[in-house]
Amino acid sequence: MNKLVLILIAILLPPLAVFLKHKAGKDLIINIVLCLFFYVPGILHALWLVTR
């Protein structure tokens, strides 16, 4: 998948971007928890995982 598309998805729906990049696993669980508490840390975590 195109990296630019993944970055846009990471901004709009962070858990979906993490799932598309890394499938189900600990990274997805961490991102869902971050998004439930505060949305911005979930976005930052997703962007970090997508761009590294």
Side-chain angles (χ1 to χ4, degrees):
M1 186 170 265
N2 190 357
K3 197 173 222 180
L4 181 63
V5 173
L6 278 174
I7 290 172
L8 290 174
I9 294 172
I11 293 170
L12 298 174
L13 296 168
L16 179 61
V18 173
F19 178 75
L20 291 174
K21 182 74 174 182
H22 292 283
K23 305 298 180 220
K26 66 179 173 103
D27 289 328
L28 181 62
I29 300 297
I30 290 170
N31 192 267
I32 290 172
V33 170
L34 285 172
C35 284
L36 286 176
F37 287 128
F38 301 103
Y39 194 67
V40 174
I43 292 173
L44 295 176
H45 180 252
L47 286 172
W48 179 65
L49 289 175
V50 167
T51 57
R52 72 175 172 144

